[in-house]
Amino acid sequence: MSGIETSANAPEPESAVTQLEGGIEVDPRVRARVEDLASRVERYRASYYAGKPEISDAAYDALEDELRALAPAHPVLARVGSGALVTEWEKARHEIPMGSLNKVTNDEELRAWVLRCDELLAKEGQSSIKNDLFVAEKLDGISIELVYRDGKLADAITRGDGFIGERITSNVARMKGVPARIADKRPISVRGEIILCLSDMKKNFPIEYTSPRNTAAGTAKRFDGQGAEHLTVLFYDVADHFDIPTEEAKFAWLRSLGFATPHTAKGTVEDVLALYGRYEKTLRAQLDYEIDGLVVYACSMAAQTTLGELNRRPRGATAFKFSSPAKVSKVVEIRWDTGPSGRVTPVAIVEPVELAGATVQRASLHNAGLVRALGIGVGDEVLVSRRNDVIPYVEEVIESAGHKAVVPENCSTCGAPLSAEGEYLMCRNIACTAVVEGRIHAWIDAIGALEWGDKLISQLVAAGKLREPRDLYLLTWEDIAALERRGEKSAKKCIEQIKSRLPVTLPVFLAGLGIEGFAQQTARLLVSAGLTTIDAVVAATPEQLASISGLGPIKAASIARGLAARKDEIERLRQAGVEPTPPEAQGALAGLTFCFTGSATRPRGELTREIESRGGRVLGSVTKELQYLVIADVNSTSSKAEKARKLGTKLINEDQMLELIADKEREHASKSG
Ligand SMILES: [Zn+2]
């Protein structure tokens, strides 16, 4: 538990729980919320110390942060509880208790911490730490102490309540980053954090909906030890500092013995603030593991010793936390939306919360399996998060209202019975409006017909004019004009737009089919692998598809299934005159590769067509193969931009891209003319 802050001037724990607001008039609803939060913070803390945490650290932190914001001096915030440890693992005592850190969350607080340290040090005649700070990544994992005797791993004990933890040595011995033997023969007790690297999670834990931290916590303590070999321990401390003079030397010593460590750096306060900024902007997202902040230390061990501890929290170090990616909200409704492939996605509609600069009201629940696993229902208090700015999702249920969601048996759109496919529910009714509308949308999106809005598609589907993408090419402007509030001019424009997109390239054609997991990026992989005609794609076996780099067997099987199911439909499209063209025909941009990143003045699809219609290829990421990265600011220091520079890729903006196209077209014309 990394987030309990006990400030030096907090009131005595004995003071009454009421009258916390110091005479300020408080909204009774706020008062009720404070009381509610305080009692729950206490309860969850107790269960945590009892070895049976009810909620995650992140959820606990979110509740505690909210309480601190509403009632900063609440005695519960100053109290550190503990209780009996109940576990089936053998209990073990830490030779030196494992403490935790105070935290700061912004520049001013960090500067204030340095100032406080300097004042205390000045009293002892010691020099300022402001130009002598040390920084290590703060890992979001499970704390562990490892004891080595005679150079051999003898014990591995979880943090527990800081005094007594669980001995899980057999599991830890198999984790990455843990040397079985070290060259130093002294009795040594080192501290680290058990984490699950994102790449290991992807490879070995196919459950997409839980966090790496939760997976690591569950796996580290499995009695059968299964999966422990996929976990990693990164080390950051040694209980007895021997006579190591600085944090820098301490980390160097750990590394010299073969212990894996997080990244570290050394510098002034300004350096630390700049580094924090870089982590928030780019570095954090590039890591293969999750961190929730930086630990900032007084680099000198002498200074750390002088500063000492308060409530088992060292004064000479602080956790500089990143802004919280998770917030608490309440479930208003649970919807089961049928998508274009027929797959049903449960979505939690929550009370609006601000997360990473956006208002979040919908959070994905992924599939029926997760709904069951979470035991979620309307009225529940949940932790909603946004990782790396992707779709918000529900991390966990904090407080259940007791109305667990019932997994539906019928499609919410057409009423047809749903069938289960693994953890997913599917509507197999090909006439289901949700499926048909979704499929038409997929085609419209792929070809980039911007005139076509949701309403028009719904109306045409309802009128029975659209059942599959092929119907778009049989439609007349009169069909559209016959609809409510559609004029001749607009109707003609819609039809014109569909026709103007012909011919479509093979990746567009394939993506337009709306097969689950088969977007244009994936379709391009097939083309790059030599499947350059629709006939070749349709004829490919699942094994052949699975051998394409970037396509696993699961995705390959799903694509093969989707293609087989749409075989007749593909034929009908071709009969209607929609014949896909190989993307690398004889265009002016043949043989050139592009990738788009960041914001642009035109939709991505439109830019992609500019390239592909001239025979160029658009890649999904920066690779050795990439020649041009199209970016708003060619001097950007984003991770993509840096990577591109390293690989020798040219960085160009939209205007430069248009110039390039014009140049290539002139060249092309003079060659063929
Ligand atoms: Zn349906």
Side-chain angles (χ1 to χ4, degrees):
M1 174 135 56
S2 49
I4 310 171
E5 188 178 33
T6 4
S7 68
N9 53 6
E12 286 299 305
E14 285 77 21
S15 69
V17 177
T18 47
Q19 297 171 345
L20 302 162
E21 291 77 355
I24 305 164
E25 289 253 3
V26 175
D27 183 331
R29 279 167 305 180
V30 174
R31 194 189 301 275
R33 181 68 180 158
V34 166
E35 278 166 24
D36 173 49
L37 285 166
S39 73
R40 285 162 60 199
V41 162
E42 267 208 306
R43 182 180 114 208
Y44 295 136
R45 189 185 286 163
S47 62
Y48 173 86
Y49 283 117
K52 288 179 177 165
E54 291 172 57
I55 60 172
S56 72
D57 281 16
Y60 177 86
D61 281 352
L63 290 171
E64 208 193 54
D65 284 346
E66 195 183 336
L67 177 60
R68 181 169 294 113
L70 294 173
H74 199 288
V76 159
L77 295 170
R79 211 175 288 158
V80 177
S82 71
L85 199 74
V86 190
T87 165
E88 295 174 66
W89 284 96
E90 189 191 351
K91 288 180 223 168
R93 183 171 287 277
H94 296 286
E95 280 172 39
I96 300 177
M98 290 176 82
S100 47
L101 293 170
N102 289 318
K103 70 174 176 186
V104 296
T105 53
N106 56 45
D107 293 16
E108 294 84 71
E109 286 177 16
L110 183 78
R111 288 184 205 277
W113 167 73
V114 172
L115 220 62
R116 235 174 10 247
C117 289
D118 280 354
E119 281 166 14
L120 290 166
L121 289 167
K123 277 186 206 156
E124 304 298 321
Q126 280 180 261
S127 53
S128 162
I129 60 167
K130 141 175 126 212
N131 295 321
D132 191 24
L133 295 172
F134 192 78
V135 179
E137 289 163 350
K138 186 176 180 301
L139 302 157
D140 190 14
I142 298 95
S143 304
I144 187 93
E145 169 165 49
L146 270 66
V147 179
Y148 284 79
R149 288 191 201 98
D150 285 327
K152 276 186 286 192
L153 175 63
D155 233 347
I157 306 162
T158 61
R159 184 178 183 283
D161 64 357
F163 296 98
I164 294 174
E166 294 161 290
R167 179 170 280 137
I168 58 167
T169 319
S170 54
N171 281 0
V172 171
R174 295 169 53 226
M175 294 177 190
K176 300 186 219 183
V178 177
R181 281 162 192 282
I182 55 173
D184 201 318
K185 301 281 187 238
R186 291 176 290 186
I188 285 168
S189 157
V190 287
R191 273 116 195 245
E193 201 89 347
I194 301 172
I195 57 163
L196 174 57
C197 288
L198 303 180
S199 55
D200 288 322
M201 173 140 166
K202 220 167 160 186
K203 240 183 288 167
N204 306 300
F205 298 89
I207 318 143
E208 302 149 64
Y209 47 74
T210 183
S211 66
R213 195 194 172 282
N214 288 346
T215 310
T219 309
K221 291 194 193 174
R222 278 185 69 136
F223 295 114
D224 62 4
Q226 213 187 314
E229 68 276 19
H230 303 308
L231 302 179
T232 301
V233 184
L234 294 181
F235 295 86
Y236 54 82
D237 204 6
V238 53
D240 180 342
H241 286 164
F242 303 112
D243 36 22
I244 301 172
T246 63
E247 275 299 324
E248 191 181 25
K250 187 188 86 184
F251 272 88
W253 176 80
L254 283 169
R255 288 174 189 135
S256 76
L257 290 178
F259 294 108
T261 73
H263 298 110
T264 58
K266 190 177 168 335
T268 65
V269 178
E270 300 311 317
D271 295 334
V272 172
L273 292 173
L275 184 65
Y276 179 86
R278 280 181 62 210
Y279 263 101
E280 280 214 306
K281 213 171 144 209
T282 54
L283 295 178
R284 186 183 181 192
Q286 289 170 28
L287 293 174
D288 191 24
Y289 45 84
E290 294 197 331
I291 60 173
D292 55 5
L294 301 175
V295 182
V296 187
Y297 303 88
C299 192
S300 149
M301 290 297 179
Q304 286 191 20
T305 308
T306 304
L307 291 166
E309 281 186 358
L310 185 71
N311 298 332
R312 275 171 55 220
R313 287 153 194 281
R315 282 203 189 91
T318 190
F320 194 0
K321 301 264 270 189
F322 297 129
S323 46
S324 170
K327 284 236 178 93
V328 175
S329 186
K330 195 173 246 171
V331 178
V332 177
E333 185 190 350
I334 290 176
R335 284 190 201 155
W336 299 80
D337 294 343
T338 303
S341 64
R343 179 182 277 190
V344 175
T345 305
V347 177
I349 308 298
V350 298
E351 287 175 356
V353 277
E354 282 287 311
L355 261 184
T359 305
V360 170
Q361 269 177 287
R362 295 166 59 90
S364 173
L365 291 166
H366 204 68
N367 62 26
L370 178 60
V371 171
R372 285 192 207 97
L374 287 171
I376 193 171
V378 170
D380 288 1
E381 198 172 45
V382 292
L383 188 69
V384 183
S385 80
R386 265 177 105 198
R387 282 167 195 275
N388 294 327
D389 290 343
V390 286
I391 320 154
Y393 71 101
V394 173
E395 292 248 1
E396 63 183 293
V397 173
I398 299 173
E399 185 90 53
S400 172
H403 318 291
K404 282 190 187 177
V406 179
V407 174
E409 288 175 5
N410 299 85
C411 172
S412 62
T413 304
C414 71
L418 297 173
S419 54
E421 195 176 278
E423 297 285 12
Y424 294 92
L425 290 173
M426 304 289 294
C427 173
R428 298 283 183 207
N429 173 14
I430 52 160
C432 174
T433 323
V435 176
V436 175
E437 280 185 24
R439 306 257 328 270
I440 300 294
H441 263 294
W443 188 268
I444 291 287
D445 283 353
I447 65 169
L450 303 173
E451 284 291 316
W452 287 69
D454 296 356
K455 183 85 191 288
L456 177 58
I457 294 171
S458 303
Q459 284 178 319
L460 287 167
V461 169
K465 294 289 178 190
L466 290 177
R467 285 170 305 273
E468 57 180 60
R470 184 268 317 255
D471 297 340
L472 284 164
Y473 298 90
L474 306 180
L475 218 54
T476 64
W477 71 263
E478 288 89 346
D479 289 330
I480 296 177
L483 299 171
E484 222 186 320
R485 268 181 284 215
R486 295 282 166 180
E488 179 180 334
K489 208 173 147 197
S490 139
K492 282 182 169 163
K493 206 168 166 191
C494 289
I495 297 293
E496 182 46 43
Q497 197 167 47
I498 296 286
K499 301 247 158 78
S500 75
R501 297 289 183 250
L502 288 172
V504 296
T505 63
L506 184 56
V508 168
F509 186 98
L510 294 171
L513 295 174
I515 297 170
E516 190 77 38
F518 201 23
Q520 281 195 46
Q521 306 290 7
T522 313
R524 284 194 201 99
L525 293 176
L526 269 63
V527 174
S528 303
L531 299 172
T532 53
T533 66
I534 185 70
D535 292 316
V537 170
V538 172
T541 62
E543 293 73 31
Q544 221 178 321
L545 292 173
S547 70
I548 294 171
S549 108
L551 280 189
I554 296 170
K555 219 168 183 186
S558 144
I559 291 171
R561 249 198 330 272
L563 285 168
R566 287 174 176 64
K567 213 171 163 188
D568 295 342
E569 199 183 307
I570 291 170
E571 254 338 287
R572 288 195 290 272
L573 266 165
R574 295 172 82 176
Q575 278 161 15
V578 188
E579 188 63 38
T581 53
E584 278 183 281
Q586 299 300 313
L589 301 178
L592 298 182
T593 51
F594 297 80
C595 176
F596 298 101
T597 185
S599 57
T601 61
R602 289 194 287 163
R604 191 71 60 92
E606 216 174 285
L607 296 171
T608 301
R609 267 189 310 284
E610 292 271 8
I611 302 296
E612 291 188 338
S613 65
R614 294 174 174 87
R617 274 200 300 146
V618 176
L619 307 181
S621 59
V622 178
T623 64
K624 268 189 285 184
E625 221 194 326
L626 181 66
Q627 290 156 316
Y628 297 97
L629 179 65
V630 184
I631 188 166
D633 174 15
V634 294
N635 297 315
S636 160
T637 54
S638 74
S639 56
K640 258 194 183 169
E642 295 287 8
K643 188 173 175 196
R645 279 187 202 102
K646 215 181 274 172
L647 293 171
T649 299
K650 288 191 195 80
L651 278 75
I652 58 173
N653 59 31
E654 260 178 85
D655 287 342
Q656 290 167 315
M657 180 187 98
L658 295 178
E659 279 167 35
L660 178 80
I661 291 175
D663 282 351
K664 292 286 173 192
E665 286 203 313
R666 269 194 299 276
E667 238 175 75
H668 190 65
S670 69
K671 250 189 268 170
S672 44

